């Protein structure tokens, strides 16, 4: 039996809100530690792994939330499989702060520790992206999207979603070359994805415009 999708989006937004809150708390807890005789500028510089992990993680969470919002504006019904795929997306999203904390604690560690924590971090993001793609693929396959959705727009969303795991895989592979370089590469990917025009902003057909109430369903 297909069910209304509004509760799923509300629940997912709550998970994103908790993740962002946890990130802010961890930033406070892992801020610059000032040993006796240490100047504040030195302490701030010493804590650079914390800032790097925070900025990248916030960018990741923001990109995922934007993508989730753009996708679910077109989903009008859900079934059990789509619910499971969405829960798996949120499983990886909820794990991002944990892997970010590991990363910031070990960027100054041994080469093995750097590679392991960077691989866990990027692997978590890659897992989220794969299940996100599966969610969209299943929604299209099972006709859970709004019936007036422009097929051209649906294909544009699909193309954009496929790009993300491909880019994340490149960043993941570069971990084994240089962990810090892989994180900087991921940061550049985030900036690049932010500059690309989102499929959700593309012009719609007249029929899709007529079905525009989908973004405000159940509210």
């Amino acid at each position: 039996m297909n069910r209304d999708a509004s509760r799923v989006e509300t629940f997912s937004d709550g998970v994103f809100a908790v993740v962002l809150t946890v990130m802010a708390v961890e930033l406070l807890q892992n801020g610059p530690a000032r040993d006796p005789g240490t100047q504040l500028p030195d302490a701030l510089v010493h804590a650079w792994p914390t800032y790097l992990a925070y900025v990248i993680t916030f960018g990741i969470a923001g990109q995922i939330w934007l993508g989730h919002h753009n996708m679910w504006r077109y989903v009008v019904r859900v079934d059990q499989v789509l619910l499971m795929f969405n829960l798996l997306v949120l499983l990886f999203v909820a794990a991002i702060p944990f892997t970010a904390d590991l990363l910031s604690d070990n960027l100054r560690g041994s080469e093995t520790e750097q590679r392991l924590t960077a691989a866990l971090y990027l692997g978590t993001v890659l897992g989220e992206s794969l299940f996100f793609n599966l969610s969209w693929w299943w929604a299209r396959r099972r006709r859970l999207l709004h019936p007036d959705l422009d097929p051209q727009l649906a294909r544009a969303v699909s193309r954009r979603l496929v790009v993300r795991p491909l880019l994340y895989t490149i960043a993941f592979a570069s971990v084994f070359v240089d962990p810090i370089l892989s994180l900087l590469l991921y940061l550049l990917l985030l900036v690049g994805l932010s500059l690309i025009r989102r499929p959700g902003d593309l012009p719609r057909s007249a029929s899709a415009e007529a079905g525009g109430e989908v973004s405000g369903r159940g509210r």
Side-chain angles (χ1 to χ4, degrees):
M1 178 184 294
N2 294 334
R3 287 151 284 184
D4 179 71
S6 59
R7 290 186 62 191
V8 180
E9 189 172 7
T10 300
F11 173 75
S12 301
D13 284 346
V15 173
F16 282 106
V18 171
V19 168
L20 293 175
T21 302
V22 170
M23 286 169 48
V25 171
E26 289 183 349
L27 182 64
L28 290 174
Q29 293 177 343
N30 299 324
R34 295 185 64 179
D35 297 326
T38 301
Q39 299 296 318
L40 179 59
D42 294 333
L44 290 171
V45 171
H46 185 74
W48 69 265
T50 300
Y51 310 142
L52 179 61
Y54 177 79
V55 169
I56 295 178
T57 303
F58 193 91
I60 291 171
Q63 283 285 343
I64 298 171
W65 180 81
L66 288 172
H68 195 277
H69 174 71
N70 285 329
M71 169 183 163
W72 282 86
R73 64 186 294 197
Y74 304 122
V75 178
V76 292
R77 296 181 304 279
V78 295
D79 60 11
Q80 194 69 16
V81 175
L82 184 58
L83 286 174
M84 291 179 60
F85 281 151
N86 190 66
L87 282 175
L88 289 170
V89 169
L90 297 178
L91 181 149
F92 283 99
V93 169
I96 289 175
F98 167 71
T99 55
D101 188 52
L102 280 178
L103 181 66
S104 63
D105 288 343
N106 291 278
L107 275 181
R108 289 197 184 91
S110 66
E111 185 175 335
T112 300
E113 291 172 334
Q114 289 181 353
R115 288 183 175 177
L116 176 59
T117 53
L120 286 173
Y121 185 77
L122 295 172
T124 300
V125 179
L126 180 59
E128 169 276 323
S129 182
L130 291 174
F131 281 109
F132 203 114
N133 272 270
L134 283 174
S135 298
W136 177 254
W137 169 79
W138 184 260
R140 290 188 68 189
R141 181 176 184 271
R142 300 296 296 177
R143 303 180 186 279
L144 302 176
L145 304 177
H146 195 281
D148 289 333
L149 177 63
D150 190 340
Q152 181 181 359
L153 177 58
R155 289 191 294 270
V157 173
S158 298
R159 287 194 297 269
R160 180 181 175 86
L161 290 179
V162 168
V163 168
R164 289 178 59 218
L166 293 176
L167 295 178
Y168 295 166
T169 300
I170 295 173
F172 182 86
S174 65
V175 166
F176 302 100
V177 178
D178 187 328
I180 296 178
L181 176 62
S182 69
L183 296 177
L184 295 176
L185 175 61
Y186 187 81
L187 187 59
L188 291 176
L189 293 178
L190 281 177
V191 174
L193 288 172
S194 300
L195 296 176
I196 298 175
R197 193 180 191 188
R198 296 184 176 278
D201 298 330
L202 293 176
R204 302 189 191 186
S205 67
S207 61
E209 288 292 350
E213 74 278 1
V214 71
S215 62
R217 64 184 183 284
R219 296 179 184 176

Short mmCIF file of all heavy atoms in Angstrom, two decimals, residues 74 136 140 143 145-159 199 202-209:
data_model
loop_
_atom_site.label_atom_id
_atom_site.label_comp_id
_atom_site.label_asym_id
_atom_site.label_seq_id
_atom_site.Cartn_x
_atom_site.Cartn_y
_atom_site.Cartn_z
N TYR A 74 8.99 16.09 -5.25
CA TYR A 74 8.32 15.42 -6.35
C TYR A 74 7.73 14.07 -5.94
O TYR A 74 6.99 13.47 -6.72
CB TYR A 74 9.29 15.20 -7.51
CG TYR A 74 9.94 16.46 -8.00
CD1 TYR A 74 11.33 16.61 -8.01
CD2 TYR A 74 9.17 17.54 -8.44
CE1 TYR A 74 11.92 17.78 -8.44
CE2 TYR A 74 9.76 18.71 -8.86
CZ TYR A 74 11.13 18.83 -8.86
OH TYR A 74 11.71 19.99 -9.28
N TRP A 136 15.82 7.53 -5.53
CA TRP A 136 15.23 8.20 -6.69
C TRP A 136 14.88 7.20 -7.79
O TRP A 136 13.82 7.29 -8.41
CB TRP A 136 16.20 9.26 -7.22
CG TRP A 136 15.72 9.97 -8.45
CD1 TRP A 136 16.19 9.81 -9.72
CD2 TRP A 136 14.68 10.94 -8.53
NE1 TRP A 136 15.50 10.62 -10.59
CE2 TRP A 136 14.58 11.34 -9.89
CE3 TRP A 136 13.84 11.53 -7.58
CZ2 TRP A 136 13.65 12.28 -10.31
CZ3 TRP A 136 12.91 12.47 -8.02
CH2 TRP A 136 12.83 12.83 -9.36
N ARG A 140 11.04 6.52 -9.23
CA ARG A 140 10.67 6.61 -10.64
C ARG A 140 10.13 5.28 -11.15
O ARG A 140 9.13 5.24 -11.88
CB ARG A 140 11.88 7.02 -11.48
CG ARG A 140 12.34 8.45 -11.28
CD ARG A 140 13.43 8.81 -12.30
NE ARG A 140 12.89 8.88 -13.66
CZ ARG A 140 13.64 8.99 -14.75
NH1 ARG A 140 14.97 9.03 -14.63
NH2 ARG A 140 13.09 9.05 -15.95
N ARG A 143 6.61 4.56 -9.91
CA ARG A 143 5.66 5.63 -10.18
C ARG A 143 5.14 6.27 -8.89
O ARG A 143 3.92 6.48 -8.72
CB ARG A 143 4.47 5.11 -11.02
CG ARG A 143 4.90 4.48 -12.34
CD ARG A 143 3.69 3.99 -13.12
NE ARG A 143 4.07 3.27 -14.30
CZ ARG A 143 4.45 3.82 -15.46
NH1 ARG A 143 4.46 5.14 -15.57
NH2 ARG A 143 4.78 3.07 -16.49
N LEU A 145 6.31 9.25 -8.03
CA LEU A 145 6.48 10.69 -8.23
C LEU A 145 5.16 11.30 -8.71
O LEU A 145 4.24 10.60 -9.12
CB LEU A 145 7.58 10.94 -9.26
CG LEU A 145 8.95 10.33 -8.95
CD1 LEU A 145 9.92 10.61 -10.09
CD2 LEU A 145 9.50 10.87 -7.63
N HIS A 146 5.11 12.63 -8.65
CA HIS A 146 3.91 13.31 -9.11
C HIS A 146 3.67 12.99 -10.59
O HIS A 146 4.59 13.05 -11.40
CB HIS A 146 4.07 14.82 -8.92
CG HIS A 146 2.78 15.57 -9.03
ND1 HIS A 146 2.19 15.87 -10.24
CD2 HIS A 146 1.97 16.06 -8.07
CE1 HIS A 146 1.07 16.52 -10.02
NE2 HIS A 146 0.91 16.67 -8.72
N PRO A 147 2.44 12.63 -10.95
CA PRO A 147 2.17 12.22 -12.34
C PRO A 147 2.40 13.32 -13.36
O PRO A 147 2.60 13.03 -14.54
CB PRO A 147 0.69 11.80 -12.30
CG PRO A 147 0.11 12.47 -11.09
CD PRO A 147 1.24 12.52 -10.10
N ASP A 148 2.38 14.58 -12.94
CA ASP A 148 2.58 15.69 -13.87
C ASP A 148 4.03 16.15 -13.95
O ASP A 148 4.33 17.15 -14.60
CB ASP A 148 1.71 16.89 -13.48
CG ASP A 148 0.23 16.64 -13.72
OD1 ASP A 148 -0.07 15.83 -14.63
OD2 ASP A 148 -0.60 17.22 -13.02
N LEU A 149 4.93 15.42 -13.29
CA LEU A 149 6.34 15.80 -13.33
C LEU A 149 6.87 15.68 -14.76
O LEU A 149 6.70 14.65 -15.41
CB LEU A 149 7.15 14.91 -12.40
CG LEU A 149 8.67 15.13 -12.39
CD1 LEU A 149 9.00 16.54 -11.88
CD2 LEU A 149 9.36 14.09 -11.52
N ASP A 150 7.52 16.72 -15.24
CA ASP A 150 8.08 16.75 -16.58
C ASP A 150 9.15 15.65 -16.71
O ASP A 150 10.10 15.62 -15.92
CB ASP A 150 8.72 18.12 -16.83
CG ASP A 150 9.12 18.31 -18.29
OD1 ASP A 150 9.27 17.31 -19.01
OD2 ASP A 150 9.30 19.47 -18.69
N PRO A 151 9.03 14.73 -17.66
CA PRO A 151 10.03 13.68 -17.83
C PRO A 151 11.44 14.24 -18.05
O PRO A 151 12.42 13.63 -17.62
CB PRO A 151 9.54 12.92 -19.07
CG PRO A 151 8.07 13.16 -19.10
CD PRO A 151 7.89 14.56 -18.59
N GLN A 152 11.54 15.38 -18.72
CA GLN A 152 12.85 16.00 -18.92
C GLN A 152 13.47 16.41 -17.59
O GLN A 152 14.68 16.25 -17.37
CB GLN A 152 12.72 17.22 -19.84
CG GLN A 152 14.05 17.91 -20.13
CD GLN A 152 13.88 19.13 -21.02
OE1 GLN A 152 12.77 19.46 -21.43
NE2 GLN A 152 14.98 19.81 -21.30
N LEU A 153 12.65 16.93 -16.70
CA LEU A 153 13.14 17.31 -15.38
C LEU A 153 13.55 16.08 -14.59
O LEU A 153 14.58 16.09 -13.90
CB LEU A 153 12.06 18.09 -14.63
CG LEU A 153 12.39 18.52 -13.20
CD1 LEU A 153 13.64 19.37 -13.16
CD2 LEU A 153 11.21 19.27 -12.59
N ALA A 154 12.78 15.01 -14.67
CA ALA A 154 13.10 13.77 -13.97
C ALA A 154 14.45 13.22 -14.44
O ALA A 154 15.27 12.75 -13.63
CB ALA A 154 12.00 12.74 -14.17
N ARG A 155 14.69 13.28 -15.76
CA ARG A 155 15.98 12.81 -16.28
C ARG A 155 17.12 13.71 -15.82
O ARG A 155 18.23 13.22 -15.54
CB ARG A 155 15.93 12.75 -17.81
CG ARG A 155 15.05 11.63 -18.35
CD ARG A 155 15.26 11.44 -19.85
NE ARG A 155 14.80 12.60 -20.60
CZ ARG A 155 13.55 12.73 -21.07
NH1 ARG A 155 12.65 11.79 -20.85
NH2 ARG A 155 13.20 13.81 -21.76
N ALA A 156 16.88 15.02 -15.72
CA ALA A 156 17.91 15.94 -15.26
C ALA A 156 18.29 15.65 -13.82
O ALA A 156 19.47 15.69 -13.44
CB ALA A 156 17.43 17.38 -15.41
N VAL A 157 17.29 15.37 -12.98
CA VAL A 157 17.57 15.01 -11.59
C VAL A 157 18.40 13.73 -11.54
O VAL A 157 19.36 13.63 -10.78
CB VAL A 157 16.25 14.83 -10.80
CG1 VAL A 157 16.53 14.29 -9.40
CG2 VAL A 157 15.51 16.16 -10.71
N SER A 158 18.04 12.74 -12.36
CA SER A 158 18.78 11.48 -12.38
C SER A 158 20.24 11.68 -12.77
O SER A 158 21.14 11.11 -12.16
CB SER A 158 18.11 10.50 -13.36
OG SER A 158 16.80 10.19 -12.96
N ARG A 159 20.48 12.52 -13.77
CA ARG A 159 21.86 12.77 -14.21
C ARG A 159 22.66 13.44 -13.11
O ARG A 159 23.82 13.09 -12.89
CB ARG A 159 21.86 13.63 -15.49
CG ARG A 159 21.41 12.91 -16.73
CD ARG A 159 21.75 13.71 -17.98
NE ARG A 159 21.06 14.99 -18.00
CZ ARG A 159 19.87 15.19 -18.55
NH1 ARG A 159 19.22 14.18 -19.11
NH2 ARG A 159 19.33 16.40 -18.55
N PRO A 199 18.67 20.72 -10.87
CA PRO A 199 17.52 20.31 -11.68
C PRO A 199 16.21 20.82 -11.12
O PRO A 199 15.27 21.08 -11.85
CB PRO A 199 17.59 18.77 -11.62
CG PRO A 199 19.03 18.49 -11.39
CD PRO A 199 19.52 19.60 -10.50
N LEU A 202 15.22 23.96 -12.79
CA LEU A 202 15.06 24.01 -14.24
C LEU A 202 13.62 24.33 -14.62
O LEU A 202 12.69 24.05 -13.86
CB LEU A 202 15.47 22.66 -14.85
CG LEU A 202 16.94 22.27 -14.73
CD1 LEU A 202 17.13 20.87 -15.28
CD2 LEU A 202 17.82 23.25 -15.47
N PRO A 203 13.42 24.91 -15.81
CA PRO A 203 12.04 25.20 -16.24
C PRO A 203 11.23 23.91 -16.33
O PRO A 203 11.74 22.87 -16.75
CB PRO A 203 12.23 25.83 -17.62
CG PRO A 203 13.64 26.31 -17.64
CD PRO A 203 14.41 25.36 -16.77
N ARG A 204 9.96 23.98 -15.94
CA ARG A 204 9.09 22.83 -16.02
C ARG A 204 8.15 22.97 -17.22
O ARG A 204 7.95 24.05 -17.75
CB ARG A 204 8.23 22.72 -14.75
CG ARG A 204 9.03 22.62 -13.48
CD ARG A 204 8.09 22.29 -12.37
NE ARG A 204 8.73 22.43 -11.07
CZ ARG A 204 8.16 22.10 -9.94
NH1 ARG A 204 6.96 21.59 -9.93
NH2 ARG A 204 8.78 22.25 -8.79
N SER A 205 7.54 21.85 -17.59
CA SER A 205 6.52 21.91 -18.62
C SER A 205 5.25 22.49 -18.03
O SER A 205 5.10 22.62 -16.82
CB SER A 205 6.25 20.50 -19.16
OG SER A 205 5.65 19.71 -18.14
N ALA A 206 4.31 22.82 -18.89
CA ALA A 206 3.06 23.39 -18.41
C ALA A 206 2.34 22.42 -17.49
O ALA A 206 1.74 22.79 -16.49
CB ALA A 206 2.17 23.76 -19.60
N SER A 207 2.39 21.12 -17.82
CA SER A 207 1.71 20.14 -16.99
C SER A 207 2.34 20.04 -15.62
O SER A 207 1.68 19.87 -14.62
CB SER A 207 1.72 18.76 -17.68
OG SER A 207 3.05 18.32 -17.88
N ALA A 208 3.68 20.16 -15.57
CA ALA A 208 4.36 20.10 -14.28
C ALA A 208 4.04 21.32 -13.45
O ALA A 208 3.91 21.26 -12.24
CB ALA A 208 5.86 19.97 -14.48
N GLU A 209 3.90 22.48 -14.12
CA GLU A 209 3.53 23.69 -13.39
C GLU A 209 2.15 23.53 -12.79
O GLU A 209 1.87 24.00 -11.69
CB GLU A 209 3.56 24.91 -14.34
CG GLU A 209 4.93 25.35 -14.75
CD GLU A 209 5.72 25.95 -13.60
OE1 GLU A 209 5.13 26.18 -12.54
OE2 GLU A 209 6.94 26.18 -13.78
#
